[in-house]
């Protein structure tokens, strides 16, 4: 049975002007990503993979072309509607974790729920459950400086899951980790995809991540080559 497309991308372009030069970061990309897929976007530096990820997450707008998420065209959304889309439908995981250093692991995971106006009693319980899910039940009150890089990335993944998004977008999530810890993070993402049906798109230049994903898209010079 064919998997329903969660994401559909049609003739996507993103151009940047640098002086009198035009950089074609994306140059006519078309593809789709099915509900429940775990997709790696691969390519060398400058291939356009991170640009595509940010467009999927509504953090940037294309120069031309359209992205549909579950049938909704992101280009039709104003800035307020895009903010709601990011809050409700997307969980972001970044290479540098982006945790708030003055907050505990529990508080960092609770933060997206504050903006989503989840009642305080539910925030705490869900944050505890998510930290347990990523293997950090004993680290709830630790601040980022008291955690290893791998533990910080686990907190970031728990935070990405806080509002139960349909889509997880991960930009080089193993880039600041040693290979063993990076494998542990990939195993965790693969488990979230397999056991919970999370749709995950990961950007990486490390070919080993494809050992964990269900499919890989390869970009070069802003074009989809495989």
């Amino acid at each position: 049975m064919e998997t329903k497309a969660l994401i559909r991308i049609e003739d996507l372009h993103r151009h940047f002007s640098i002086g009198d030069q035009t950089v074609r970061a994306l140059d006519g990309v078309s593809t789709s990503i099915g509900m429940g897929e775990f997709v790696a976007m691969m390519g060398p530096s400058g291939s356009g993979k991170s640009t595509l990820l940010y467009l999927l997450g509504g953090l940037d707008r294309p120069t031309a072309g359209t992205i549909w998420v579950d049938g909704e065209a992101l280009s039709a959304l104003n800035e307020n509607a895009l903010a709601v889309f990011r809050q409700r439908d997307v969980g972001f995981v970044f290479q540098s974790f982006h945790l708030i250093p003055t907050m505990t692991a529990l508080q960092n995971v609770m933060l997206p729920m504050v903006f989503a106006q989840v009642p305080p009693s539910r925030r705490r319980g869900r944050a505890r459950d998510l930290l347990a899910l990523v293997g950090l039940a004993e680290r709830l009150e630790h601040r980022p400086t008291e955690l290893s890089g791998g533990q910080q990335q686990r907190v970031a993944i728990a935070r990405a899951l806080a509002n139960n998004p349909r889509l997880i977008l991960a930009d080089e999530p193993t880039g600041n980790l040693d290979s063993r810890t990076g494998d542990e993070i990939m195993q965790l993402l693969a488990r979230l995809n397999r056991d919970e049906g999370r749709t995950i798109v990961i950007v990486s230049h490390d070919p080993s991540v494809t050992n964990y994903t269900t499919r890989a898209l390869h970009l070069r010079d802003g074009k989809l080559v495989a």
Side-chain angles (χ1 to χ4, degrees), residues 88-126:
R88 179 192 65 203
D89 293 322
V90 186
F92 294 97
V93 181
F94 299 100
Q95 178 176 347
S96 299
F97 319 136
H98 293 321
L99 300 176
I100 297 177
T102 56
M103 288 185 169
T104 65
L106 192 69
Q107 290 168 333
N108 268 284
V109 176
M110 289 168 63
L111 189 59
M113 292 182 270
V114 174
F115 295 114
Q117 299 182 325
V118 175
S121 57
R122 285 181 51 205
R123 285 180 221 155
R124 191 170 189 87
R126 177 156 177 77

Side-chain angles (χ1 to χ4, degrees), residues 94-97 149-150 153 172-178 181-182:
F94 299 100
Q95 178 176 347
S96 299
F97 319 136
Q153 194 60 291
E172 300 278 7
T174 64
N176 281 345
L177 306 174
D178 62 73
T181 307

Side-chain angles (χ1 to χ4, degrees), residues 8-177:
R8 189 158 59 90
I9 301 164
E10 188 172 294
D11 197 24
L12 201 65
H13 295 255
R14 183 66 174 102
H15 302 164
F16 299 94
S17 295
I18 301 177
D20 58 355
Q21 300 292 314
T22 298
V23 176
R24 298 177 181 272
L26 290 174
D27 195 17
V29 172
S30 297
T31 190
S32 62
I33 295 171
M35 194 89 70
E37 278 201 282
F38 187 1
V39 176
M41 291 199 297
M42 310 296 297
S45 179
S47 61
K49 56 190 188 296
S50 289
T51 299
L52 180 53
L53 194 79
Y54 294 153
L55 290 170
L56 290 179
L59 294 171
D60 191 15
R61 290 187 182 270
T63 305
T66 308
I67 298 171
W68 289 269
V69 178
D70 205 11
E72 183 172 52
L74 298 190
S75 56
L77 303 181
N78 62 26
E79 291 305 316
N80 287 338
L82 268 181
V84 171
F85 163 74
R86 289 192 297 267
Q87 176 184 281
R88 179 192 65 203
D89 293 322
V90 186
F92 294 97
V93 181
F94 299 100
Q95 178 176 347
S96 299
F97 319 136
H98 293 321
L99 300 176
I100 297 177
T102 56
M103 288 185 169
T104 65
L106 192 69
Q107 290 168 333
N108 268 284
V109 176
M110 289 168 63
L111 189 59
M113 292 182 270
V114 174
F115 295 114
Q117 299 182 325
V118 175
S121 57
R122 285 181 51 205
R123 285 180 221 155
R124 191 170 189 87
R126 177 156 177 77
R128 291 174 69 93
D129 290 346
L130 288 171
L131 285 166
L133 178 69
V134 300
L136 292 177
E138 307 303 318
R139 296 287 188 271
L140 305 182
E141 300 303 326
H142 286 64
R143 288 179 169 78
T145 54
E146 301 170 314
L147 300 170
S148 68
Q151 289 171 334
Q152 289 184 65
Q153 194 60 291
R154 287 173 182 270
V155 174
I157 291 169
R159 181 184 59 189
L161 295 170
N163 289 328
N164 198 28
R166 291 181 288 180
L167 177 63
I168 302 292
L169 300 177
D171 190 9
E172 300 278 7
T174 64
N176 281 345
L177 306 174

Side-chain angles (χ1 to χ4, degrees), residues 170-205:
D171 190 9
E172 300 278 7
T174 64
N176 281 345
L177 306 174
D178 62 73
S179 59
R180 182 183 63 82
T181 307
D183 284 343
E184 291 174 357
I185 292 301
M186 288 306 303
Q187 288 168 20
L188 171 58
L189 290 172
R191 179 160 55 87
L192 291 170
N193 169 253
R194 181 185 66 246
D195 296 347
E196 299 198 356
R198 303 280 179 182
T199 305
I200 302 175
V201 180
I202 178 174
V203 157
S204 183
H205 63 272

